[in-house]
Amino acid sequence: LYITCILDDIQLALAHCQQHRITVTARGRGHSIEGQSCGSGLIIDMKTLNKVVEVTDSFIEVEGGAK
């Protein structure tokens, strides 16, 4: 399932998974050296969420798919 940036869709999918006891894996840029995701159930691919949100002297906030 590819979700590009629609928060309502993500919330709906997570609520469905919780109700039906379906596992959820968030995939940023991949969980391993080869870049594949490990998990069963719903895998939320966040590769299109790849922006740097904010940079300060003490932290950097990035989206889940940032490299």
Side-chain angles (χ1 to χ4, degrees), residues 49-55 59-64 66:
L49 300 173
N50 57 9
K51 294 176 180 62
V52 175
V53 178
E54 184 178 357
V55 178
F59 73 92
I60 298 173
E61 181 181 347
V62 298
E63 295 178 344

Side-chain angles (χ1 to χ4, degrees), residues 25-39 43:
T25 302
R27 181 180 193 276
R29 296 306 293 179
H31 294 339
S32 69
I33 293 171
E34 288 82 26
Q36 73 266 22
S37 292
C38 301
I43 298 175

